[in-house]
Amino acid sequence: MMKKNLLLWLFVAIILIWGFETFNTAGDSVGNKNDYVAFKEELSSGQIKSVKIDGRTINAERKTGEKFKVIIPISDQDLLPKLEEHKVQTTGVLPEEPSLLLSIFISWFPMILLVFVWIWFMRASQGGGKGAFSFSKSKAREFREDEVRTTFVDVAGCDEAKEEVKELVDYLREPEKFQKLGGKIPRGVLLVGQPGTGKTLLAKAIAGEAKVPFFSISGSDFVEMFVGVGASRVRDLFAKAKSKCPCIIFIDEIDAVGRKRGIGIGGGHDEREQTLNQLLVEMDGFDGNEAVIVIAATNRPDVLDPALLRPGRFDRRVTVGLPDIKGREQILKVHTRNVPIAEDVDIKKIARGTPGFSGAELANLVNEAALAAARKNKNLVSQNEFELAKDKLLMGPELRSKVMNEKEKINTAYHESGHAIVGRMLPGFDPVYKVTIIPRSRALGVTMYLPENERLSYTKDYIEDTIATLFAGRIAEEIIFGENNVTTGASNDIERATYWARNMVIKWGMSKKVGPQLMEGEETENYLGGSSSSLRAMSDSSQDLIDSEIKAILDHNYSRAKEILESNIDILHAMKDALLKYETIDSAQIDDLMARKPVREPSDFNPVSGSGSDEDSNSGNKEAKDNAGIENGNPETVSVPKEGSKDGEDRDKPVKPSQDSF
């Protein structure tokens, strides 16, 4: 492609040079083959036999038969008399006057050439025909049958979704099988799921399995600032699809064009709504024998127009949810097919340690592990690289350049030890996976928990254990340093604990005094990525009751956590010492501490640096999921994988807090 463009530009340059030389230096190309003074001397001496005068050019012939040319430099009035005097045969040539059309062409040729060059450049910069000359044409990318190589083998972790769409493949391969029994395949399939769950990959797999053309376009590609362009593009897209049927049209992020009507500017007559209207018409205008299936993807089905979701249009809704532990294992196997992994890599262990990860995040995990191994000049990716990559994605990269003084280190060590001890002592809570006082992302220290089993809902006991664990870091500071020396590091812990307690009272019916009634108003997005609700209008006594119940829950679990730490003060001190020595301790070392045994050293512990991790802190950053803000200079980070959440469920249900950070 580069050579082709270079040759094209070289050709244009040659044409420009030729035109300039032809039309601006006409006549100057005739060489002065003989000196004019010498010519006149030869004329005076009688050596010239004949001349032919053409403007300022003289074609002369000597008596010896030799011919030559000479240019008259200035007007010479004595030339003709001398020619007559020496009886030289003289002829003249009338000047040839160009035609009117040729004169116009010569004068306008440079401008015409520049216009054509500009048009070519504009078309090339806009994708070869996708510019002004085809402004209303569809921007969909068309893939032929042999160009889509993705199949169901490449899609893992969403077995239920694959089963839902397999009959689409059968219909596209053998439509007569369904038509002879009067069956009608769904004209539109809506793939719903969180970002990164594989909706686009699943749509490509359908086309790859069915071996049919595949048209791919984003919802935002329809809408332009010019009214009517989007509707025209919709018509053009469906016209192309009908000429290639059976085929699949895939519209990614359809909520960009399919939002509910009547809320736009200008009374609902804006460009987006016209585009949506045309889309509704095209989807409802299929004939019975046209095997054109529209597949759309979105993670916001709640904002779509009801007319788009009615039977006859998108009449089938397939949920592509987050994978469970078995699905994560399958996804990891797919992404490690082309990665040389060591024998010690345990895919099941990695899958268990990544709850709430989507398929895209698992692919990123494998890539980060491969990059970590490449930085160490390894030939195989080991389990250690996968663990480092997992910690990096969950907690953020290590920030060893963020230097803490000794007092801050001790405070952070006690804080994280409090979280770990209370979390371990509560039998219904998730096991403690790792504790570190190495600054990561925006956190000075992190305590990580990993669930033993997948959870789709949470009990009252589990939520109260969560609140007690959140308070444990502040309580550890209070026990060791006193009430007047606690830091702002627990601000995010307090915020999250209050969130759980408040929803227990006003939404989840977990308060005996308030009872199972909804005490909320309009929904707003909360800091955990879900939705929270403001209190509705109610009496002062009801508000006081809600406040007192929230405080009672918080106080009860604060007391529980404090009692646990005070009765295990020796473990608190021992864990602090271990964190100051190793900076990071894992579950095996925590087991030693809880059993009041000597702490084993990490396998990769470096006594010189005091670090048990060799992760490159200058590598790329993916911060821990769902970060909270910064208060009084103490950064805090929250990682909250939404394990088991599905579209259509209550988005405000308690989400598993997988780490506590200082």
Side-chain angles (χ1 to χ4, degrees):
M1 181 60 70
M2 184 179 296
K3 291 182 179 179
K4 182 179 179 181
N5 291 336
L6 183 62
L7 291 174
L8 185 57
W9 279 111
L10 183 62
F11 173 75
V12 172
I14 292 173
I15 293 296
L16 288 173
I17 294 172
W18 173 80
F20 179 80
E21 292 293 335
T22 301
F23 299 108
N24 290 283
T25 61
D28 293 341
S29 62
V30 180
N32 186 1
K33 302 300 182 180
N34 200 71
D35 184 76
Y36 184 69
V37 175
F39 166 73
K40 293 191 71 173
E41 290 177 354
E42 291 183 21
L43 179 62
S44 300
S45 60
Q47 299 180 25
I48 304 301
K49 177 182 178 182
S50 65
V51 296
K52 184 177 181 181
I53 302 174
D54 185 1
R56 293 175 58 191
T57 303
I58 298 177
N59 296 294
E61 182 181 359
R62 296 186 178 97
K63 290 181 179 181
T64 59
E66 184 182 357
K67 297 180 180 181
F68 63 95
K69 288 184 179 182
V70 66
I71 302 298
I72 305 174
I74 59 175
S75 178
D76 190 351
Q77 302 294 333
D78 298 331
L79 179 59
L80 286 178
K82 284 189 176 184
L83 291 172
E84 292 177 0
E85 179 182 349
H86 294 87
K87 297 181 181 181
V88 177
Q89 182 181 353
T90 304
T91 57
V93 179
L94 290 174
E96 181 180 354
E97 295 191 11
S99 64
L100 178 62
L101 292 177
L102 182 60
S103 300
I104 294 174
F105 175 76
I106 291 174
S107 60
W108 283 91
F109 177 76
M111 184 63 69
I112 294 172
L113 185 62
L114 288 175
V115 169
F116 275 102
V117 170
W118 178 81
I119 291 174
W120 173 84
F121 179 77
M122 292 298 295
R123 288 171 63 87
S125 65
Q126 296 179 7
K130 292 295 183 182
F133 292 91
S134 57
F135 193 70
S136 61
K137 299 296 182 182
S138 169
K139 293 185 177 182
R141 293 184 58 192
E142 180 182 354
F143 299 89
R144 297 191 304 271
E145 298 90 327
D146 56 340
E147 291 181 332
V148 183
R149 296 182 175 87
T150 304
T151 63
F152 286 146
V153 177
D154 303 309
V155 182
C158 52
D159 295 337
E160 295 84 359
K162 284 197 292 186
E163 289 297 328
E164 284 283 330
V165 299
K166 274 185 179 179
E167 69 177 34
L168 298 179
V169 176
D170 296 335
Y171 178 81
L172 290 170
R173 286 177 175 175
E174 300 179 272
E176 299 82 5
K177 174 182 176 182
F178 296 87
Q179 291 173 356
K180 69 181 182 180
L181 297 176
K184 295 182 179 179
I185 202 70
R187 294 175 177 175
V189 178
L190 184 65
L191 303 179
V192 178
Q194 297 184 31
T197 51
K199 300 183 291 296
T200 303
L201 185 66
L202 184 59
K204 286 185 178 180
I206 296 172
E209 290 283 345
K211 298 298 181 184
V212 295
F214 181 77
F215 293 86
S216 177
I217 191 171
S218 172
S220 60
D221 288 335
F222 288 115
V223 182
E224 293 284 352
M225 63 180 294
F226 304 104
V227 176
V229 172
S232 178
R233 289 177 178 174
V234 171
R235 289 191 293 269
D236 182 66
L237 171 62
F238 280 86
K240 290 179 180 178
K242 291 176 183 179
S243 66
K244 298 290 181 69
C245 66
C247 68
I248 292 174
I249 296 176
F250 176 64
I251 305 175
D252 198 9
E253 303 297 342
I254 193 173
D255 50 277
V257 69
R259 288 178 175 266
K260 295 176 182 178
R261 291 169 291 180
I263 57 175
I265 301 174
H269 296 287
D270 60 355
E271 164 66 0
R272 183 187 59 78
E273 294 192 3
Q274 289 195 25
T275 306
L276 174 58
N277 290 335
Q278 186 62 45
L279 181 62
L280 296 174
V281 170
E282 292 291 340
M283 291 193 67
D284 208 24
F286 292 161
D287 295 331
N289 58 352
E290 287 182 337
V292 179
I293 296 178
V294 182
I295 301 176
T298 182
N299 51 17
R300 293 296 308 276
D302 53 306
V303 303
L304 296 179
D305 193 278
L308 201 61
L309 303 177
R310 74 158 175 81
R313 293 188 177 118
F314 286 108
D315 41 16
R316 177 168 295 187
R317 180 168 167 171
V318 178
T319 299
V320 186
L322 293 173
D324 56 13
I325 184 170
K326 182 180 178 182
R328 293 196 297 272
E329 182 181 350
Q330 294 172 351
I331 293 172
L332 287 169
K333 288 180 179 178
V334 169
H335 291 299
T336 53
R337 285 184 304 193
N338 299 321
V339 177
I341 59 177
E343 293 181 357
D344 66 336
V345 174
D346 189 347
I347 298 296
K348 290 184 178 180
K349 182 179 178 181
I350 300 172
R352 178 182 172 272
T354 51
F357 272 51
S358 65
E361 289 170 324
L362 291 171
N364 191 26
L365 170 67
V366 175
N367 182 62
E368 288 288 345
L371 293 177
R375 284 196 294 268
K376 300 173 188 175
N377 298 319
K378 290 186 175 182
N379 296 324
L380 299 175
V381 184
S382 67
Q383 183 74 18
N384 185 47
E385 278 75 49
F386 279 102
E387 292 295 331
L388 291 175
K390 181 178 65 175
D391 292 346
K392 182 179 178 181
L393 296 180
L394 282 172
M395 301 183 290
E398 293 182 354
L399 303 178
R400 296 187 177 275
S401 59
K402 184 184 290 186
V403 180
M404 292 190 293
N405 58 43
E406 193 65 22
K407 184 177 179 181
E408 286 178 326
K409 277 189 175 181
I410 295 173
N411 192 297
T412 304
Y414 274 119
H415 185 105
E416 299 304 330
S417 298
H419 286 308
I421 293 171
V422 173
R424 179 60 70 90
M425 296 298 291
L426 295 173
F429 198 63
D430 294 326
V432 181
Y433 159 67
K434 186 174 290 187
V435 183
T436 180
I437 59 170
I438 299 173
R440 286 179 176 269
S441 186
R442 294 187 294 173
L444 298 181
V446 180
T447 302
M448 289 292 303
Y449 306 93
L450 286 180
E452 291 183 335
N453 302 302
E454 302 286 339
R455 282 193 176 92
L456 299 178
S457 61
Y458 301 93
T459 63
K460 180 180 178 181
D461 288 341
Y462 181 85
I463 298 173
E464 290 195 341
D465 289 348
T466 301
I467 297 173
T469 306
L470 287 169
F471 279 140
R474 177 188 175 89
I475 295 171
E477 295 181 36
E478 181 182 324
I479 292 174
I480 301 300
F481 303 108
E483 293 184 359
N484 294 330
N485 290 313
V486 295
T487 67
T488 58
S491 62
N492 181 252
D493 296 331
I494 296 172
E495 181 183 358
R496 294 164 62 195
T498 306
Y499 169 81
W500 302 125
R502 179 176 177 273
N503 281 279
M504 287 175 68
V505 175
I506 68 171
K507 181 177 288 189
W508 300 321
M510 294 181 179
S511 168
K512 291 183 179 180
K513 293 184 179 180
V514 175
Q517 59 175 320
L518 186 65
M519 308 289 288
E520 65 178 17
E522 183 180 357
E523 285 195 350
T524 56
E525 190 168 344
N526 62 49
Y527 76 100
L528 291 175
S531 62
S532 60
S533 305
S534 58
L535 292 177
R536 67 182 185 184
M538 62 183 68
S539 65
D540 293 340
S541 60
S542 296
Q543 292 185 7
D544 292 340
L545 178 60
I546 290 172
D547 291 339
S548 64
E549 283 295 282
I550 292 174
K551 190 173 188 308
I553 293 173
L554 296 176
D555 290 344
H556 169 66
N557 290 288
Y558 193 95
S559 300
R560 290 175 64 207
K562 189 171 184 179
E563 182 180 348
I564 292 173
L565 290 177
E566 287 178 341
S567 60
N568 294 278
I569 192 69
D570 57 329
I571 300 178
L572 182 64
H573 291 302
M575 190 173 293
K576 179 268 298 183
D577 294 336
L579 284 171
L580 291 178
K581 181 179 180 180
Y582 302 120
E583 292 187 330
T584 300
I585 58 176
D586 57 20
S587 58
Q589 294 169 294
I590 295 172
D591 289 339
D592 293 339
L593 289 165
M594 299 303 295
R596 293 176 171 85
K597 296 179 180 179
V599 182
R600 71 192 77 175
E601 286 189 353
S603 59
D604 57 348
F605 176 65
N606 184 355
V608 177
S609 64
S611 172
S613 173
D614 55 356
E615 180 182 1
D616 184 1
S617 62
N618 294 322
S619 59
N621 176 18
K622 178 185 183 299
E623 294 190 357
K625 302 178 183 178
D626 300 306
N627 294 329
I630 298 177
E631 181 176 339
N632 296 334
N634 279 325
E636 303 173 80
T637 306
V638 184
S639 177
V640 193
K642 299 178 183 177
E643 184 184 27
S645 60
K646 296 182 178 179
D647 294 287
E649 295 181 357
D650 185 0
R651 298 174 62 196
D652 233 3
K653 74 179 182 182
V655 185
K656 185 191 72 62
S658 66
Q659 79 180 43
D660 292 307
S661 57
F662 177 48

